[in-house]
Amino acid sequence: MERLVKFEVLGQEYSLYTESSDAELREVLDLVRDHVEHHSRSGRTVLPANKVAILTSLVMASKYVRLKNEFEEYRALHERQVSALADQLEGFLAAETE
């Protein structure tokens, strides 16, 4: 069930509706906070919060796309393996009935 959740990042409060469990939401917020806070106090440059948020979104989107592609490759590999096993089983069963 969707619910409204309020949270804080870099001293600003945000609200969003989510169906995520408390554990999932806590994990997501911890990742975002860690990344945002790391870049906001890295000492290299001082970026406005909105730019840090955009950079964080880009990094997370990049990780998502990479994981999605890796999963697709994993699924395709396993589909090929299952198909090869099915072919072997069909061949074995056909040989047994002859």
Side-chain angles (χ1 to χ4, degrees), residues 10-87:
L10 290 177
Q12 292 197 0
E13 188 172 294
Y14 300 90
S15 301
L16 67 88
Y17 285 94
T18 183
E19 292 182 357
S20 298
S21 69
D22 287 343
E24 287 174 335
L25 185 61
R26 192 171 25 260
E27 190 173 355
V28 167
L29 290 175
D30 286 346
L31 282 170
V32 170
R33 285 185 184 121
D34 288 348
H35 194 275
V36 167
E37 290 172 3
H38 170 75
H39 285 291
S40 66
R41 60 187 146 105
S42 65
R44 290 176 282 178
T45 60
V46 177
L47 294 174
N50 64 335
K51 288 191 178 190
V52 172
I54 294 297
L55 291 173
T56 298
S57 298
L58 289 170
V59 167
M60 290 187 175
S62 172
K63 289 179 182 182
Y64 168 78
V65 168
R66 187 181 66 241
L67 286 172
K68 183 181 76 140
N69 291 338
E70 288 174 3
F71 175 73
E72 290 300 324
E73 290 172 12
Y74 171 84
R75 183 166 52 182
L77 170 67
H78 287 283
E79 284 175 358
R80 287 191 303 273
Q81 290 174 336
V82 167
S83 180
L85 282 173
D87 291 344

